[in-house]
Amino acid sequence: MIAKLTGLVDSSGEDWVIMDVGGVGYLVSGSSRTLSALPRAGEAAKLHIETVVREDAISLFGFADIQERDLFRLLTSVQGVGAKVALAILSTLSPTDLQNAIAAQDKTAVARAKGVGPKVATRIVTELKDKVTGLVFKPRGVEAPAPGAPHTADNSVIADAVSALSNLGYKPVDAHGAVAKVLADLGDDADVAAIVPAALKELSNI
């Protein structure tokens, strides 16, 4: 089982890269976010790998960071979501934005990805709501931003707001969902003092 590849970028395409590791070329599929962050051909790179073994093939999927890899695993655990669709979602939404969309049950955001219909998007946000909380609030800077990607709220602000709501007795998954929802209205520059009261109002309607 291959878990990580460190070597030289040999060549790449829209959704793949060949990594030269000790003279052996590994064909790796990836999201546009990960692939756009790779250096030029001939330069060193590292990818976290998810190895998928089937009867007719062994496929390698590469990720710039562990957070994206873990979300890929979660996405492909949902019925009807294969590797191609999972990569399309991760190409459209950053890990943090995807986590927030799932927590907020924002199926419209998930459905923006190519090949994701309303039914699949609904299934994703429903089945994964209780599973993304443990992946949330990883340090910023580990994500490879997509070209033109919008700014998102600082993770520390989100973490502090969720912590405050949890201390008031709310479940972390519900608190995160409420924070994600109100951020859509308040904007990414909102601070904890503005987020918590709005989230409490949102939680009172659950």
Side-chain angles (χ1 to χ4, degrees):
M1 186 71 69
I2 298 174
K4 183 174 71 174
L5 289 176
T6 301
L8 303 177
V9 175
D10 180 89
S11 56
S12 61
E14 183 179 355
D15 57 0
W16 59 270
V17 61
I18 294 178
M19 292 286 292
D20 184 335
V21 182
V24 178
Y26 293 87
L27 177 62
V28 182
S29 299
S31 68
S32 61
R33 187 175 306 277
T34 286
L35 296 178
S36 65
L38 290 174
R40 294 176 297 179
E43 297 184 357
K46 178 181 72 174
L47 288 174
H48 297 279
I49 300 295
E50 179 72 5
T51 304
V52 177
V53 180
R54 297 189 178 88
E55 291 184 3
D56 58 345
I58 298 177
S59 302
L60 303 180
F61 299 91
F63 307 94
D65 55 74
I66 293 176
Q67 187 183 22
E68 189 182 34
R69 184 205 63 191
D70 289 348
L71 282 168
F72 176 83
R73 290 176 175 175
L74 284 179
L75 287 168
T76 53
S77 71
V78 177
Q79 182 182 0
V81 179
K84 185 176 181 179
V85 170
L87 289 179
I89 294 171
L90 292 169
S91 294
T92 303
L93 298 170
S94 73
T96 298
D97 288 340
L98 176 57
Q99 290 167 334
N100 287 339
I102 293 172
Q105 298 292 279
D106 185 358
K107 57 181 180 292
T108 301
V110 178
R112 283 166 39 203
K114 183 178 180 180
V116 180
K119 289 184 178 179
V120 172
T122 299
R123 194 178 301 134
I124 289 171
V125 299
T126 301
E127 293 187 17
L128 300 185
K129 180 181 179 181
D130 294 331
K131 298 179 180 179
V132 296
T133 303
L135 302 177
V136 172
F137 315 136
K138 302 233 176 145
R140 238 182 211 293
V142 296
E143 298 175 11
H151 169 72
T152 53
D154 190 293
N155 279 354
S156 63
V157 173
I158 298 174
D160 289 345
V162 171
S163 177
L165 294 168
S166 297
N167 289 336
L168 292 174
Y170 292 99
K171 295 180 180 179
V173 65
D174 293 331
H176 182 215
V179 169
K181 286 181 179 178
V182 300
L183 275 174
D185 295 326
L186 297 178
D188 294 329
D189 294 329
D191 58 16
V192 175
I195 294 172
V196 172
L200 283 171
K201 184 176 181 180
E202 179 69 31
L203 286 165
S204 69
N205 295 325
I206 296 178

